[in-house]
Amino acid sequence: MTRPIASGKISTAPPSVYYLLDFITSAEEQLLIDKVLNAPKPKWIHLKNRRLQNWGGIVSAQGMIAEPLPVWLTDLFPRFHESGVFEGLDATHRDPNHCLVNEYLAGQGIMPHKDGPAYLPTVATVSLSSHCVLEFYKCLETGESGTMTSTVSSSCADDVRNQEPEFSILVQPRSLLVLKEDVYNKYMHGIRELTVDDLSKGNIQNLEQCLPEGYLNQNTVLERSTRISLTFRIVQKTMSSKKLLFQKR
Ligand SMILES: O=C(O)CCC(=O)C(=O)O
Ligand SMILES: [Fe+2]
């Protein structure tokens, strides 16, 4: 069944946020978790409040030395095509060329940040194992303000850290969250370091989309467990390793 991302629009959130429930099956989820957890040990980068894996290459200001994504990740591409996730961005890029895997233990999160100009302004995140609440803050920065993932622009992050988010999205396991255009460019997003989420807080906009059976409501408090997220993006500037060798000479 084709589900265009437009069917995942959230009526009370900015128009460039899309949320699709059950984008993958439980069996697919388990396979992806196994692949992430069985990746070679050196693939993990340990940060203070999460660990991550880069697939497709390491993104830097000079560009990314592109490596092909593994099949267990590209297997999701037909589904991205069906839903039109990366459509209309740039004729030369039809598919994502980078996937960042983040693993958060309960109580871990990510500081408010923008993903920045290294990527085309569409980010698609598949979530595994646990839910989280992604919070959005309008950022007053002007100009070319984006920062790259995990190198948070501290002035802006400091500004927003103590503010209430403008809106939040409950992100459930097996869902797809897509951020485009204005939400990509003008808002920061982050995940608070909490072990439980009280759904009455934080101005969550997609509870109706999450809860077709209505078993969760605003009084619900959800306990977090370990969450793995797969964040797919298109890095604009790429280089082959041959070109890099040539530059170094
Ligand atoms: O884990 C997530 O859903 C968000 C990750 C994120 O914002 C990032 O890696 O840039
Ligand atoms: Fe991000």
Side-chain angles (χ1 to χ4, degrees), residues 73-87:
L73 290 173
T74 58
D75 275 350
L76 288 168
F77 287 6
R79 207 127 351 138
F80 289 152
H81 294 166
E82 277 171 29
S83 297
V85 175
F86 291 94
E87 240 164 53

Side-chain angles (χ1 to χ4, degrees), residues 110 113-115 123 149 179 189 231 233:
I110 185 166
H113 66 280
K114 285 188 191 176
D115 290 358
V123 49
T149 294
L179 310 179
H189 54 272
T231 296
R233 286 177 281 220

Side-chain angles (χ1 to χ4, degrees), residues 14 19 45 49 54 58 63 116-117 124 148 150 155 171 173 183 211 215 217 224 231:
Y19 180 75
I45 297 173
N49 51 0
N54 273 288
I58 308 281
M148 299 223 302
S150 77
S155 58
V171 180
V183 169
L211 323 165
Y215 64 94
N217 58 49
R224 286 194 204 167
T231 296

Side-chain angles (χ1 to χ4, degrees), residues 11-39:
S11 59
T12 52
S16 44
V17 182
Y18 307 87
Y19 180 75
L20 290 182
L21 200 67
D22 291 327
F23 186 71
I24 56 169
T25 64
S26 299
E28 289 167 328
E29 178 189 29
Q30 196 51 58
L31 188 130
L32 289 165
I33 294 170
D34 291 346
K35 291 290 184 187
V36 168
L37 295 182
N38 291 321

Side-chain angles (χ1 to χ4, degrees), residues 50 100 102 104 110 113 115 123 125 127 132 134 149-150 171 177 189-191 227-231 233:
R50 67 196 155 101
L100 185 72
N102 281 300
Y104 308 86
I110 185 166
H113 66 280
D115 290 358
V123 49
T125 300
S127 292
C132 78
L134 196 67
T149 294
S150 77
V171 180
L177 179 72
H189 54 272
I191 301 167
R227 170 173 176 265
I228 292 171
S229 63
L230 310 179
T231 296
R233 286 177 281 220

